[in-house]
Amino acid sequence: MKYLLSFKKSGKLIYNGHLDTIRIIEESLRRAKCPFEFSKGFNPKPLFSFSNPIPFGYINRNFFLTVETKKSFDFSSFDVYTPRGLNLNFYKEVDDKFRLSKAFKGFDFKVYLSENLFYDFENINVIQKGKSEYKKEAIFEELRIHKNKNNVFMLKYYQDYNMIYNILKIFNIQDYKEFLCFPICDKTYWR
């Protein structure tokens, strides 16, 4: 049997990398006595598939995973076995042919920025991603900006699954005495 699970990753866990999060989920599933299906070979491992990594330091409201089990399993009490900051949103059984790696189209992000960071963001036109340079509009698609009465700016934008970029790379945080940057992966789009 194959299950699709959706998690919310928040709190101190946002500072765990993708591979650490995978390890934490695997350990939690083992504590919950999930009847894993294992790979074949000399060093068998549980059969998992995970969604694309979201940049370090982001709250992720939709972290997805598929897990294959030998028999049906009720994940409803799974939060008892997870550390604080990792919560199960939902789970459902999916077809054995379902491939998570081919399921995603992109992500909606929401980022809260203090005024000083926002103006630095606004003054950038070209972004270095790896060895390539992109216009800001190519990375931060459908960018919408809202400002509240406390001069905190909220950026909402879409990023394609293969164009994910960590907004924190734009800023040299050491140059700021005070700042606010609160990034959230808000929504996942499926193909």
Side-chain angles (χ1 to χ4, degrees):
M1 304 191 82
K2 187 182 254 190
Y3 290 95
L4 174 67
L5 287 77
S6 170
F7 295 95
K8 177 182 177 186
K9 182 177 145 183
S10 61
K12 293 180 181 177
L13 281 182
I14 66 172
Y15 300 110
N16 281 18
H18 188 67
L19 295 177
D20 290 332
T21 303
I22 291 170
R23 183 184 47 78
I24 289 168
I25 292 173
E26 180 181 347
E27 290 170 357
S28 299
L29 286 167
R30 288 180 186 276
R31 283 194 297 274
K33 303 202 182 326
C34 179
F36 295 116
E37 190 69 54
F38 286 88
S39 62
K40 310 293 183 229
F42 183 73
N43 188 14
K45 298 196 182 294
L47 294 174
F48 290 125
S49 178
F50 292 89
S51 58
N52 294 24
I54 297 300
F56 185 77
Y58 280 57
I59 290 175
N60 190 349
R61 292 187 174 160
N62 295 293
F63 182 81
F64 288 97
L65 131 91
T66 59
V67 60
E68 294 186 37
T69 61
K70 294 178 183 174
K71 58 184 181 180
S72 65
F73 186 72
D74 181 13
F75 293 92
S76 59
S77 63
F78 185 64
D79 286 347
V80 173
Y81 304 99
T82 61
R84 187 179 305 162
L86 187 66
N87 302 96
L88 183 67
N89 294 330
F90 70 86
Y91 73 95
K92 67 179 182 178
E93 189 176 342
V94 292
D95 187 71
D96 287 342
K97 295 177 183 175
F98 177 79
R99 298 285 174 253
L100 196 57
S101 60
K102 297 181 180 183
F104 295 113
K105 180 180 177 190
F107 305 92
D108 268 347
F109 291 96
K110 189 187 298 182
V111 180
Y112 295 90
L113 292 176
S114 55
E115 195 171 16
N116 53 354
L117 292 183
F118 172 74
Y119 290 125
D120 286 352
F121 172 79
E122 192 155 76
N123 290 329
I124 291 174
N125 294 319
V126 176
I127 294 176
Q128 186 80 29
K129 186 175 186 319
K131 294 181 179 181
S132 302
E133 288 186 348
Y134 297 91
K135 288 187 175 184
K136 183 167 60 175
E137 298 80 30
I139 301 246
F140 299 95
E141 295 179 39
E142 303 171 22
L143 179 64
R144 296 170 312 282
I145 300 166
H146 306 280
K147 179 182 174 183
N148 71 12
K149 62 184 177 188
N150 297 322
N151 291 330
V152 174
F153 291 82
M154 180 180 64
L155 310 179
K156 288 183 173 185
Y157 55 89
Y158 170 83
Q159 288 184 337
D160 195 60
Y161 81 99
N162 61 355
M163 287 295 282
I164 294 175
Y165 183 80
N166 189 345
I167 195 168
L168 293 170
K169 290 183 176 183
I170 292 175
F171 314 111
N172 185 1
I173 300 299
Q174 298 165 348
D175 293 345
Y176 302 94
K177 290 183 181 174
E178 293 183 5
F179 66 91
L180 167 77
C181 185
F182 192 74
I184 301 168
C185 178
D186 207 30
K187 186 176 180 183
T188 303
Y189 292 97
W190 299 79
R191 291 186 191 275

